[in-house]
Structure formats: structure tokens, C-alpha cells
Amino acid sequence: MTFKTSFVALAVFAALTQSAVAQETPDTGTNKNKDIEKITVTASRMDKSPSSIPNTVTIIDRVQLEEQFRTTKDLSTIIGNLAPSFSPSRQKMSNTGETLRGRPPLIMIDGVPQSNPLRSGGRSGQTIDPAMIERIEIIHGANAMHGLGAQGGIINYITKKPTGDNQHVVSFDATVPDSLKSNGVSFGASYAFSGESDLIDMLGSVSYRNNGVYYDANHDVIGVDTTQGESMDSQSKDFFIKLGHNFAESRLELMVNHYNMENNGDWMPVKGDITTGKPTGAIEEKQPWEAANNQVTTTSLTYTHENIAGQQLSVQLFNQDFEAVYGGGCNKTFYDPALANNSNLVQCEGPKGESWYYEQSRNSSVKWGLKTSLIAKNIADTGIDAAYGIDLFRDTTEQALVQTGLSWVPESTYDNFAPYLQLDYDLITDLTLSTGVRYEHAKLKVDDYKTLYGAGNKEIEGGEASFDETLFNIGISYKITPDIRVYTSYNQGFGMPDIGRILRDGNSFPGANPSISDSLSLAPIVTDNVEFGADYQGEFLSAKISYYRSATDYGARLALNSDGFYDVKREKSVIDGIEANITAYLTSNDDLGMNLAIQRGEYDSNDDNKTDTDLDGANISPNRINLFWTHNFDNDMSTRVQANYFMDRDFEDATGEKYAEFDGYTTVDASFSMPLYTGTLTLGVQNLFNKDYFNYYSQTMGTNDRYFKGMGRTATIGYTVAF
């Protein structure tokens, strides 16, 4: 039995028809777009409003999050729905290949970096449950506001804050696939409490989510990724607490979030065939290794003071303890003949009948950091605002094999010291100059180690490598009228290549006596981002458009090798694109909008300092248009319909030959919310018309083991009550 497309479409049409009947004349006293200006962008380091930053900024507030939660709890999908220059979700535990403007973004929780600079691992998108998030700040384009990693921009998850009232909130939701198969049902629950006393304010939350099996539009089980990690047939738990105390002019706040996601390991992949269009499938069979999992604890202690010699002070001490286990496999990369007869290892057969064994890896990373900043407003009545401070950062990472205990990536320690200064100056009325400088001193330390047998079994001499970079930014913003703004900016971003991929690859260290100091591949990535944009914020319409160009002379492109793992290629690359969004406030209750992202990118394939080959699907997002219509009823009911149109794309090499192609597709989601008793009932349908498609990553980077289809139609029902 399946949901009938005609029935679902009829129900949505009826809801929209009612919306049209319920429309009122425009409320000329309402400008919904001005509400966003009440929010300051904390990721800017100067707590500025979005319209005062000379970059493209996207704020996803709690209302928008709640609308998206009706159909999905996947944060990558949500960000892509509202900021289309972000890659479409892979619908897996790993977010490898998910980029912002074609480059990896820095993901943070309340300013605490989640991305791992030494060994990415692709799990930075799975470190917090969405129920804990109040809003998401996205600053598009490379920048150095928070130092390391923001080559594509910054995605900052701002967690909830205590309300000041004693309140409890309980939420439940369940998702059912179109096939109505019982093993495809997903469900989740969360409980949150908030309160305060004279001494302390507090907010705490716990959540649990159980993901069922994913089905495609043909009611077939979607293939599992047993290497990088699978989110279907998994369970996740999140514990979150925030404690704060307000002094006369200051505040001390502690935040702790612990997130754990574990795959059940009950499904094995069935190889597909790209040449015949056969997708990778799955069969119910216990995995012969530890199932993939993610465990992350993020902690921050923040002290703020409103008046230190007339300046605002912020000091944040943070820690992140990250551990990710990746699925196992029978592959040449992990095989060592010296261990072939070890009775403690589960034996398997290689592609040519070799006697190999199952193995997998665990990535462990511990980060410590201190962020300090002082903000001075209108210094000496000059109209100059300044933000300045020093950031300290340490990351220690190691990736070891789970079964044999061999080190795949040796323990590596990265230390970073970075003072910065940011200035804003009103040159004339409505014309603001923003400029800043950040000095990065970084040191990498690696002990002596030996690569795996499959990577040459090389003895590598350890050592230290240090880097010094001075990064600049400058931008001008001009308000032509109170509603129209134009801006331009130049920003530099600083990042490291995925050092783990370099260190574990014996080819990175040629010569008879290789050492860390001889490898130029450890040089940092400096990305230059130039942007031109314009905003209009009117009473009945808001519109934004920007053009950007992102370039690096020594980038870090991910290249898939024959074992299914990625290597890092250090090459010149250039990406340019256009972003635009338009929202029309048709009435006080109706919003109609469009988001657009067009981008193209090339890299230098032959080291002649000229870009000549299209970046592939692991390194650039598809061109897409997102459309949406929301309607709010007078009785607090609301509806939303949204469509994602992904455009066709061909990928060409230096000779002009097509080496890959993407067959675009369109998906539609619809959702409904209404008050019920003392709570709120939500209904949502994802992939409303049950579109059958291979996802973007599979089409452009897929192998027979990872040729996955996207999820078919699913229906979600949820209920939230506060008391």
C-alpha cells in the first residue's frame, strides 16, 4: 500500500485554496523583513546587524527552522533549502563533499569550531541535534573572522537560551515512508526545560532519535554506506545544558552539548552498476565489524562584560572532544601480510581471491581554544568602531585502525596564535568602510611514524612545520536610500589541507629518507574572496543579489582513488558564482519567494598555473533554484510549499571532453501546522510527488559501491506542547 500521489496533491491543493480564500488586504504597517535586523550576527565578531556586513549573510531563524522540521530533521537539507549555494545533503552520516560556494565551510556551535582541521573525516555536520538550535547564522565566502577553516564561509549554530520563565517543552515526531514498511518508520522525542532564580538561569534538553530504513521512490531500500557512515538504521541521543549568571554589567555562561549517533549495523550494501543505471542497494545482514558511530562533546565557558573602560569584553574558553568510527571493509588499503594469519581478525576474500581481513578506522580529535575580543564604539568621537583581540587554538588528532591498532594517521598537534583587529568607519552619511587584519601563526608537530603497508610501509621522520600568514579584509557598504544598499568586499580565508590524508599517503613523501619538513603539501590554503552585492528591503519586497569570485593558488581538491578513499591534490582553483533571493510579502499572511545559486569552478590539472578542468561534485555544488510559498492563517495555522530545482550540468576536462554529467531533478515538499489543545500539531510530506532520482553526489562522484538514489516520499507527523 502506498500514498496515492493524487490524494496527497489534492490535500495540498485544498490547503492552498483555503489559504487563498483567507488572504487579507496587505498590512501597510508591517515590514516582516525588518524583524531580521533585530538580530546581531555574533559570527561577525562585532555583533553587527546583517545589513551592515559587506558580505552575503543568511539568517535562519527559529520560525524557519520549525517550518523545515515539519518535513526533515537533517541540518544539511535544511541549510540547502534556505541557502542554495550549500550542497544538497547526501542523506548519510558523512557530510564529505558538502560545500558552501564550492569550498568547505567552518561549522561552529555558539562560536566553537566543529570542523576538524587536521583530519576532516566528514562528520562535522553530525555534532548536535537540531532541537537544540535557536537559529543558524551563515556568512557566505572565505573569511578569517574565526581563523582556521572558513574557506567557503561560516555556519554558526546558535543554541537556545533560557527564557526567564519556568517552562517545559515536550516534542514527538514520526516519519513514515511511502511504502509503509514498518522498518522504514523513524521517530524522535525531546524534552526541554528552562527556568531562572536569583542566582542562576538554566536551560536543559535531551533528545532521542531512531532512524528507520530509507526507501527510494520505487520502494527499494537505499544502499548503505558502510565506509563513511550511514544515518539510516541508526540511533542518536543528545544532552544539552546551559547555565548562566548575570552580574550587574556582566554575564558568565556555561554550555555543554553531548551528541552520540550510532548505526545499528544490520544492513550490508549490494553493489550497483553505473553503466546500466542499477543503484547500490542493501540487504539485511549483520556487518562483520563495529558499526559506524559519532560521539562529540562540545563545551564552552563564556564571560561577557558590557563596560570595561567603555568597551565590551567577551572571553570564551572552549573544548571539543570528538570521536568517529568509520565502517569497515575488505580492502587493500588496510591489509598487512604480517597480520594475515592473526586469528583475532575476521578473514575475508579480496577481489582476486586474496586472503584479506576486515578492518576499519577511528578518528579522534581534541580541540581547546580561547577567544578574546574587545569592542569599542565611536572611539574618541571619531565614528570609528573597533573589535580586537587574540585567539588561541590547539587541535590534537589521530586516526588509528580499530581491529589491529595500527596508526593510519599519526598523532598530530596543531597550535595556532592569532591576534586580530577589525574597524568600521562611517566615511560619510550612509557610507561605511570596514577593514581588518588578522595575523596567523600556526605550528604543526608530528612524531616519527610509519605508513600502512598498503601506503608503502614508509618510515617517516617526524618534526615541526610552522606557518605565518597575514590575512586582510576590506569592504564598503553604501545605503543609496533607507531601503537600498550596495556593497563590495575583499576577504581572505585561512585553512589547512586535510593533513591526515596527506600524512597517511606514502606518495606524499618521495625520496629515500622522507621527513615531515620535506613535504611542501603541508603548506596552508589561503583563499581570496571578492564580492559585489546589492540589497533591497522594502515594505512588500526584499531582494538580494551578489556576485563572488573565490580563488586560491594552492588549494586542496578531494580526489577519489581506486580504494574509495580520497586523496588531497594541491592545485590552483577558481570558483565564481551568483547568489540571489527574492521574497514578496503578498499580504500580511503570505510570503512568496525564490532563492538562486549559480556557480562554476575550475582547477589547474597540469600545473601550468592556468585553471582548465571543471571541479567535480565533491568540490562544487549544483546550480539550483528554490521556490517557496508560506501562508499564516489568523487562527495560528500555517502552510508551506517549497520546491528544489537542481539544474543539469556537464563536467569537462582540460581537452573539453565530458568526464561526468549530472541529470538534474526537482523535488517538492509541503507542510502544515495547527494549534491542537495546548500544543502544536505539524504534518509534512517530503518529496511530495515521489520523484525517482540519483542524488547529486552519486551522479557526479559515485562508484558502484556508492551509487545511491535519493529518498522517496515520506510523511512526518509531529506534536509539541509547552507547559
Side-chain angles (χ1 to χ4, degrees):
M1 180 179 179
T2 64
F3 297 127
K4 299 299 184 182
T5 302
S6 58
F7 173 78
V8 177
L10 181 61
V12 174
F13 177 76
L16 294 181
T17 303
Q18 293 174 11
S19 300
V21 172
Q23 288 180 4
E24 299 177 345
T25 57
D27 182 356
T28 57
T30 300
N31 183 356
K32 299 178 183 179
N33 201 59
K34 288 182 179 177
D35 293 338
I36 203 70
E37 289 304 297
K38 299 176 183 178
I39 297 175
T40 58
V41 182
T42 59
S44 71
R45 302 300 292 261
M46 295 191 76
D47 291 348
K48 300 197 294 185
S49 65
S51 67
S52 62
I53 299 174
N55 302 88
T56 299
V57 177
T58 299
I59 303 295
I60 302 175
D61 60 27
R62 186 64 192 180
V63 173
Q64 293 172 302
L65 285 173
E66 293 287 357
E67 289 176 342
Q68 297 297 318
F69 290 163
R70 300 173 194 171
T71 56
T72 182
K73 296 298 191 296
D74 180 67
L75 283 170
S76 294
T77 298
I78 291 170
I79 294 173
N81 286 341
L82 301 174
S85 58
F86 187 75
S87 298
S89 172
R90 295 181 59 200
Q91 301 173 348
K92 301 295 181 184
M93 189 182 292
S94 169
N95 64 336
T96 297
E98 293 180 5
T99 61
L100 179 64
R101 287 188 173 180
R103 301 195 188 277
L106 172 62
I107 297 177
M108 304 189 298
I109 296 176
D110 289 343
V112 179
Q114 304 298 295
S115 308
N116 297 311
L118 299 185
R119 176 66 188 95
S120 172
R123 297 283 185 84
S124 57
Q126 297 282 1
T127 62
I128 189 171
D129 190 282
M132 316 300 169
I133 300 173
E134 179 66 27
R135 71 179 189 273
I136 302 174
E137 301 173 351
I138 305 174
I139 299 179
H140 300 236
N143 65 76
M145 294 175 185
H146 291 267
L148 187 70
Q151 299 165 55
I154 292 173
I155 299 175
N156 192 21
Y157 299 138
I158 306 298
T159 59
K160 293 181 176 180
K161 297 184 183 299
T163 61
D165 300 321
N166 293 323
Q167 186 181 59
H168 303 264
V169 180
V170 178
S171 297
F172 306 92
D173 65 83
T175 299
V176 182
D178 185 74
S179 64
L180 295 183
K181 298 287 184 65
S182 60
N183 63 3
V185 176
S186 302
F187 58 89
S190 67
Y191 163 72
F193 65 91
S194 178
E196 69 173 11
S197 65
D198 292 337
L199 180 63
I200 196 170
D201 54 61
M202 176 187 303
L203 184 144
S205 182
V206 292
S207 70
Y208 172 80
R209 181 157 302 281
N210 188 307
N211 288 328
V213 175
Y214 298 162
Y215 285 88
D216 64 21
N218 298 318
H219 308 151
D220 295 324
V221 178
I222 292 174
V224 295
D225 190 336
T226 54
T227 301
Q228 293 188 349
E230 183 58 58
S231 59
M232 85 171 194
D233 186 41
S234 69
Q235 303 174 60
S236 65
K237 299 178 283 290
D238 198 308
F239 169 80
F240 173 82
I241 190 165
K242 184 177 285 187
L243 305 174
H245 176 74
N246 291 315
F247 300 92
E249 292 184 297
S250 60
R251 176 174 174 81
L252 183 65
E253 184 175 272
L254 172 69
M255 184 276 289
V256 179
N257 187 78
H258 177 73
Y259 178 82
N260 181 20
M261 185 176 194
E262 297 182 349
N263 187 265
N264 295 323
D266 294 331
W267 291 79
M268 288 289 287
V270 177
K271 186 173 292 188
D273 189 339
I274 294 178
T275 59
T276 63
K278 176 186 176 183
T280 302
I283 185 172
E284 194 166 8
E285 178 183 323
K286 196 67 179 177
Q287 297 173 12
W289 49 71
E290 181 182 346
N293 58 75
N294 230 30
Q295 296 189 61
V296 189
T297 302
T298 302
T299 307
S300 68
L301 182 64
T302 305
Y303 177 75
T304 56
H305 198 293
E306 294 301 314
N307 187 6
I308 299 289
Q311 303 176 71
Q312 299 173 8
L313 170 70
S314 175
V315 179
Q316 182 186 53
L317 175 68
F318 67 82
N319 167 259
Q320 190 210 46
D321 194 336
F322 172 93
E323 183 176 282
V325 172
Y326 298 87
C330 184
N331 59 64
K332 180 180 179 181
T333 299
F334 294 154
Y335 175 71
D336 190 329
L339 301 171
N341 298 319
N342 190 325
S343 60
N344 295 323
L345 300 177
V346 179
Q347 303 298 307
C348 61
E349 185 176 295
K352 298 181 179 180
E354 305 97 328
S355 180
W356 291 351
Y357 50 84
Y358 290 113
E359 184 55 288
Q360 59 190 129
S361 71
R362 176 186 287 110
N363 190 28
S364 302
S365 176
V366 177
K367 289 191 280 288
W368 287 93
L370 179 69
K371 291 183 175 181
T372 64
S373 67
L374 281 162
I375 300 176
K377 300 285 189 179
N378 192 24
I379 299 174
D381 291 326
T382 61
I384 297 176
D385 297 339
Y388 60 98
I390 297 176
D391 294 345
L392 304 176
F393 180 74
R394 164 169 283 192
D395 181 295
T396 302
T397 293
E398 181 181 18
Q399 188 171 13
L401 302 187
V402 174
Q403 309 302 328
T404 62
L406 297 175
S407 179
W408 193 15
V409 176
E411 183 173 284
S412 311
T413 300
Y414 175 88
D415 288 312
N416 180 253
F417 168 86
Y420 70 91
L421 171 65
Q422 191 73 29
L423 300 173
D424 275 9
Y425 178 53
D426 292 331
L427 298 173
I428 58 174
T429 303
D430 297 324
L431 179 63
T432 302
L433 170 68
S434 300
T435 187
V437 61
R438 182 182 177 100
Y439 171 72
E440 298 275 355
H441 174 72
K443 182 173 68 175
L444 175 71
K445 180 180 179 180
V446 182
D447 293 334
D448 295 347
Y449 72 101
K450 183 171 70 172
T451 65
L452 296 181
Y453 176 84
N457 214 25
K458 292 185 177 182
E459 297 280 354
I460 310 296
E461 180 184 356
E464 295 184 357
S466 62
F467 318 103
D468 294 277
E469 293 289 344
T470 302
L471 306 167
F472 299 94
N473 69 79
I474 186 168
I476 295 178
S477 176
Y478 178 58
K479 281 193 173 183
I480 300 174
T481 72
D483 294 334
I484 300 175
R485 178 180 76 118
V486 294
Y487 64 86
T488 184
S489 62
Y490 167 77
N491 290 271
Q492 289 185 303
F494 172 80
M496 295 293 292
D498 192 326
I499 292 173
R501 298 185 192 274
I502 295 172
L503 295 179
R504 74 190 191 190
D505 182 7
N507 295 326
S508 299
F509 303 93
N513 299 298
S515 67
I516 295 297
S517 58
D518 294 336
S519 177
L520 296 177
S521 296
L522 295 178
I525 304 165
V526 176
T527 303
D528 299 321
N529 186 85
V530 178
E531 183 167 347
F532 301 90
D535 302 340
Y536 171 75
Q537 298 183 358
E539 188 171 327
F540 302 108
L541 182 75
S542 71
K544 298 180 181 181
I545 186 169
S546 64
Y547 165 80
Y548 62 88
R549 184 176 180 83
S550 171
T552 179
D553 290 331
Y554 200 45
R557 179 177 62 91
L558 291 180
L560 189 66
N561 66 29
S562 58
D563 284 343
F565 298 108
Y566 286 92
D567 295 327
V568 176
K569 303 296 183 182
R570 306 304 308 273
E571 301 153 335
K572 178 177 182 177
S573 64
V574 176
I575 299 171
D576 54 5
I578 295 174
E579 294 176 334
N581 64 70
I582 300 174
T583 301
Y585 310 118
L586 303 180
T587 72
S588 59
N589 293 332
D590 288 271
D591 296 348
L592 181 67
M594 178 196 75
N595 299 317
L596 168 72
I598 304 292
Q599 59 184 287
R600 67 184 300 273
E602 291 185 339
Y603 68 92
D604 178 8
S605 66
N606 56 10
D607 201 26
D608 65 353
N609 204 35
K610 297 179 181 179
T611 58
D612 50 34
T613 300
D614 290 340
L615 288 168
D616 57 32
N619 296 276
I620 198 166
S621 308
N623 299 327
R624 68 193 283 185
I625 297 175
N626 298 346
L627 303 173
F628 67 89
W629 180 14
T630 63
H631 176 78
N632 297 311
F633 294 83
D634 293 335
N635 57 2
D636 292 330
M637 293 192 300
S638 66
T639 60
R640 180 182 176 95
V641 178
Q642 61 188 23
N644 285 280
Y645 167 51
F646 300 92
M647 305 179 194
D648 296 346
R649 167 174 269 170
D650 292 337
F651 299 84
E652 297 180 351
D653 61 20
T655 66
E657 293 293 321
K658 183 172 65 177
Y659 71 86
E661 64 179 325
F662 171 60
D663 184 13
Y665 53 86
T666 301
T667 60
V668 178
D669 307 327
S671 64
F672 172 75
S673 174
M674 64 173 289
L676 182 64
Y677 297 107
T678 58
T680 301
L681 175 71
T682 63
L683 299 170
V685 180
Q686 189 177 21
N687 194 0
L688 175 66
F689 299 110
N690 204 32
K691 176 65 178 179
D692 182 25
Y693 65 95
F694 288 92
N695 65 39
Y696 175 71
Y697 184 88
S698 295
Q699 289 192 49
T700 57
M701 293 299 298
T703 62
N704 290 336
D705 292 325
R706 292 179 182 161
Y707 193 44
F708 302 124
K709 282 197 171 183
M711 292 172 61
R713 180 168 49 226
T714 60
T716 299
I717 183 171
Y719 186 69
T720 300
V721 59
F723 54 94

